[in-house]
Amino acid sequence: MRPVLALVLAVLVPCSAAAACGEPAPHEGRLLIAAGGGSGVYRAYAEGLARVARADGMEARVLATASAADGLRQVARGTADVAFAPADLAALALAGRPPFEGRQRVSALARLYDEYTHLVVPADSGVHALPDLKGRTVATGTPGTGTELVATRLLAAAGIDRDVRVRRLAVRDAAAALRERRVDALFFSGVVPSEAITQLTHAMGVRLVDLGAYVGPLRRFHGDFYQERSIPAAAYRLFAAPRTVGVPSHLAVGSAMPAGRARALTRLLFERKDVLVAARPEALYLNRRGAISTGPLPLHPGAALYYRESKVAG
């Protein structure tokens, strides 16, 4: 083998198996999963991951955290092993920009699925485009969440971030506030369909405002992880499929996690995908080809090793 190539491989492939790395496999320890607050998708996905880990002999526990930002802080400092986070929030963690205090040493095991931004208004609302929110009261999600981040960026892109009254409410509280006309609109970034918004459509007529015109500005100013997506009309009994902003959600770990442990955890994601799908149908979107696209988070070397090995084996 050529000396330069050998050196590169030694750096990129520190070992060929967890045992060869001298690192503990997952079953040799416990797994702490930061799942955000409430009972949303992250929580259900985390419960599925915990079941997978327990079946592999680990002691696994799901931790309720204040937000996705808090989950990223916890994996960076080692008080949690894995966390769920949207790419835009992860980019701020890497850069050490608010809501983070200093750069967070985090990487990813896999890209999981895409989250879709909803801007929900009553069917009889005069809000037909983002600038129409000027002077109105808007629920933008709780602090440190992907919803709050993308909502804040969209309002700024429309030039009205100083011209709305913000209520920092979780999606269920925001849906109740919209139904009672205490807010004029709500933002939510998450899976389609959202249970809270589905229930809202049964309680009152709603519309989803088209946000497609703002994907370009978000990509230019914040990152190309933002993508244009469409919310299927059938998801909420709509007349049309509004364009919106999509952002990937990743499974994050601390960069200091041993390579063997990261490799073994990544292997479990795919070997027990059926358990994850039973917990949350979004796990159907987990596939090896897409999972490696974890930007802006770097792919953990242990996870990269798993993907290289599975590609050779496949």
Side-chain angles (χ1 to χ4, degrees), residues 53-132:
R54 291 179 191 124
D56 201 57
M58 277 183 278
E59 175 192 347
R61 186 154 59 96
V62 176
L63 307 175
T65 56
S67 63
D70 189 42
L72 286 168
R73 293 187 192 98
Q74 291 210 31
V75 295
R77 64 176 178 252
T79 54
D81 297 301
V82 297
F84 300 83
D88 50 359
L89 195 62
L92 295 180
L94 286 176
R97 294 171 54 196
F100 300 96
E101 307 77 27
R103 296 183 178 184
Q104 309 296 304
R105 296 189 65 246
V106 290
S107 53
L109 299 184
R111 173 176 174 160
L112 300 176
Y113 58 87
D114 284 357
E115 299 184 354
Y116 291 67
T117 304
H118 302 57
L119 175 53
V120 187
V121 299
D124 59 0
S125 170
V127 176
H128 296 276
L130 194 52
D132 296 336

Side-chain angles (χ1 to χ4, degrees), residues 32-293:
L32 301 178
I33 307 164
S39 57
V41 175
Y42 286 172
R43 178 79 188 197
Y45 214 124
E47 294 289 356
L49 183 56
R51 286 196 287 276
V52 167
R54 291 179 191 124
D56 201 57
M58 277 183 278
E59 175 192 347
R61 186 154 59 96
V62 176
L63 307 175
T65 56
S67 63
D70 189 42
L72 286 168
R73 293 187 192 98
Q74 291 210 31
V75 295
R77 64 176 178 252
T79 54
D81 297 301
V82 297
F84 300 83
D88 50 359
L89 195 62
L92 295 180
L94 286 176
R97 294 171 54 196
F100 300 96
E101 307 77 27
R103 296 183 178 184
Q104 309 296 304
R105 296 189 65 246
V106 290
S107 53
L109 299 184
R111 173 176 174 160
L112 300 176
Y113 58 87
D114 284 357
E115 299 184 354
Y116 291 67
T117 304
H118 302 57
L119 175 53
V120 187
V121 299
D124 59 0
S125 170
V127 176
H128 296 276
L130 194 52
D132 296 336
L133 290 176
K134 184 175 182 178
R136 300 178 187 262
T137 303
V138 184
T140 58
T142 50
T145 60
T147 293
E148 184 191 45
L149 178 58
V150 74
T152 300
R153 287 177 169 178
L154 282 166
L155 293 171
I160 59 170
D161 49 317
R162 298 179 182 274
D163 302 311
V164 298
R165 294 181 293 274
V166 169
R167 299 291 181 266
R168 300 169 94 180
L169 302 173
V171 62
R172 291 187 182 279
D173 295 332
L178 187 69
R179 187 171 61 247
E180 297 163 7
R181 305 289 175 142
R182 290 184 283 112
V183 299
D184 299 298
L186 72 84
F187 282 99
F188 169 69
S189 181
V191 299
V192 176
S194 156
E195 183 179 352
I197 295 174
T198 297
Q199 292 174 355
L200 184 61
T201 65
H202 292 306
M204 65 183 292
V206 300
R207 285 186 289 105
L208 268 63
V209 177
D210 192 298
L211 300 170
Y214 297 93
V215 175
L218 289 184
R219 286 172 60 86
R220 283 195 301 274
F221 291 108
H222 301 293
D224 60 7
F225 39 76
Y226 287 121
Q227 299 286 333
E228 182 176 315
R229 297 286 185 261
S230 293
I231 296 176
Y236 301 112
R237 301 185 299 176
L238 305 171
F239 292 109
R243 298 174 302 157
T244 192
V245 181
V247 60
S249 187
H250 301 321
L251 189 63
V253 297
S255 298
M257 175 177 280
R261 183 168 170 83
R263 172 188 172 275
L265 287 173
T266 308
R267 173 183 57 80
L268 283 179
L269 291 177
F270 292 93
E271 289 187 355
R272 299 308 312 273
K273 181 177 172 179
D274 58 325
V275 177
L276 298 177
V277 171
R280 275 307 308 189
E282 288 75 24
L284 283 168
Y285 297 111
L286 181 65
N287 64 84
R288 289 178 180 86
R289 177 172 294 182
I292 62 174
S293 300

